[in-house]
Amino acid sequence: MKIGWIGLGNMGIPMAGNLLAAGYDVYVWNRTAEKTAPLVAQGATRTETLAQLVATCDVLFTMVSDDEAVKAVYGGPEGILACPGADGKLAIDMSTVSPATSRWIAERCQQAGVRFLDAPVSGSVGPAKEGTLVIMVGGEPGDYTQAKPLLEHLGKISLHLGANGAGTSAKLAINLLLGITVQGVAETLLFARSLGIESEQMLKIISESAVGTPLIRGKATSILADDYPAAFALKHMAKDLRLAREAGVSTPLAESVDASYRHALHEGLGELDLMAIIRHLEQKS
Ligand code: NAP
């Protein structure tokens, strides 16, 4: 089986790398061609064009930024669905986009004879490298059955949740909790600091307490160094909270975190890790 991978950003590189490591024949294409270099060094084949990748591969994975990018990659004039030979292939979109966009793509895929799954992931670059993501899938059960052995190399669990759009719906819900949790940690540390408790001590307390999570332990080094290289860029968190709002969430914490990340984005923190929300809150207080 030949696997095509489209989108080699922070997540796409380790995820495609896991399929290579599992022994699959992996072909890669990225809008910015230079970013294919790490995968080519690991044994992947770079195609010059998206059309070449589509013509060559049996299964196509996409892992790109947002709704606009997914629509361009599938439905654009040179997108997957315009490529000769797309008919009959299985396309799996792992990007975080709105359920409406997943259904929009699914409808166009159906018209073109392409089978389509939305399969976004929970977990950042660490779990992507380790192959321990949580994968939420929407689409036809038979297509999920075909995809499952591949998904097992990318995640510790995959769940088939219903028709197209169900995967991205679940993803928006889990990322609402992510946004709330990260802002909660930031507020807790700032409050503790204002009372004279050092962040190092407070992080130890959080980690050993009932609310300690691998997420918080994973962010400790960044917080203590006040350095936030993006594992999950703040701009993507702001996007996911916007998508949740557009999908109808209007509860108090959701409204609050949506506003916070939006303001942080406008302050120029978008390219940093989402934990940089602490800088926005620090300025505010
Ligand atoms: P990233 O590092 O920003 O990479 C984005 C990728 O999308 C790049 O390959 C980029 O190509 C491509 N792209 C953007 N616009 C495009 C367009 N119009 N046409 C073709 N390709 C386009 O993002 P990431 O962190 O890997 O995240 C990818 C997706 O996974 C996002 O939807 C994100 O919300 C989701 N996600 C991320 C994390 C995380 O921790 N990072 C965790 C879970 C889910 P270029 O190289 O040419 O710019």
Side-chain angles (χ1 to χ4, degrees):
M1 186 191 294
K2 289 186 173 131
I3 310 288
W5 195 283
I6 298 152
L8 295 168
N10 289 329
M11 295 294 282
I13 288 183
M15 291 169 78
N18 284 338
L19 291 173
L20 263 176
Y24 287 100
D25 213 357
V26 178
Y27 290 72
V28 291
W29 180 85
N30 194 64
R31 182 181 60 175
T32 308
E34 304 84 74
K35 289 197 197 161
T36 57
L39 265 295
V40 171
Q42 288 172 51
T45 306
R46 178 173 87 85
T47 62
E48 287 296 325
T49 64
L50 182 55
Q52 284 167 356
L53 181 126
V54 172
T56 310
C57 299
D58 307 296
V59 178
L60 308 167
F61 282 92
T62 47
M63 188 51 158
V64 294
S65 310
D66 52 20
D67 296 61
E68 201 187 322
V70 171
K71 283 184 172 173
V73 163
Y74 280 87
E78 292 174 11
I80 293 172
L81 300 178
C83 295
D87 190 13
K89 311 239 159 144
L90 174 63
I92 305 173
D93 181 38
M94 306 198 81
S95 325
T96 305
V97 296
S98 73
T101 292
S102 296
R103 288 191 287 267
W104 187 91
I105 301 287
E107 214 178 292
R108 272 145 194 84
C109 281
Q110 200 185 16
Q111 287 159 5
V114 173
R115 293 168 298 126
F116 177 74
L117 295 171
D118 47 295
V121 303
S122 178
S124 192
V125 174
K129 284 183 185 155
E130 292 156 9
T132 57
L133 295 163
V134 175
I135 306 174
M136 296 150 276
V137 187
E140 289 296 321
D143 294 336
Y144 171 62
T145 304
Q146 193 195 336
K148 205 168 176 239
L150 296 170
L151 300 181
E152 278 166 3
H153 296 290
L154 305 175
K156 62 181 168 188
I157 185 171
S158 67
L159 295 160
H160 181 242
L161 300 163
N164 283 122
T168 38
S169 295
K171 169 63 185 172
L172 294 190
I174 185 66
N175 266 25
L176 172 60
L177 182 58
L178 175 67
I180 290 170
T181 304
V182 169
Q183 177 159 332
V185 172
E187 289 189 19
T188 300
L189 292 173
L190 291 173
F191 174 53
R193 235 184 259 171
S194 76
L195 300 179
I197 309 297
E198 293 299 326
S199 290
E200 191 169 4
Q201 302 299 345
M202 201 59 223
L203 281 165
K204 270 187 204 143
I205 295 165
I206 296 171
S207 294
E208 295 301 327
S209 75
V211 292
T213 64
L215 168 77
I216 302 170
R217 287 189 281 277
K219 300 291 181 202
T221 310
S222 261
I223 294 167
L224 294 176
D226 191 29
D227 183 24
Y228 304 100
F232 181 40
L234 190 145
K235 65 179 178 185
H236 289 323
M237 186 75 254
K239 170 205 43 142
D240 296 353
L241 292 167
R242 172 180 56 77
L243 293 177
R245 171 167 34 92
E246 289 168 2
V249 73
S250 61
T251 45
L253 288 173
E255 285 184 358
S256 167
V257 287
D258 177 33
S260 293
Y261 286 92
R262 201 163 359 109
H263 289 138
L265 191 62
H266 292 145
E267 286 161 16
L269 299 172
E271 298 301 327
L272 299 179
D273 191 70
L274 82 163
M275 195 64 237
I277 193 67
I278 197 168
R279 288 198 181 157
H280 160 70
L281 296 167
E282 210 167 10
Q283 272 174 24
K284 231 180 126 186
S285 60

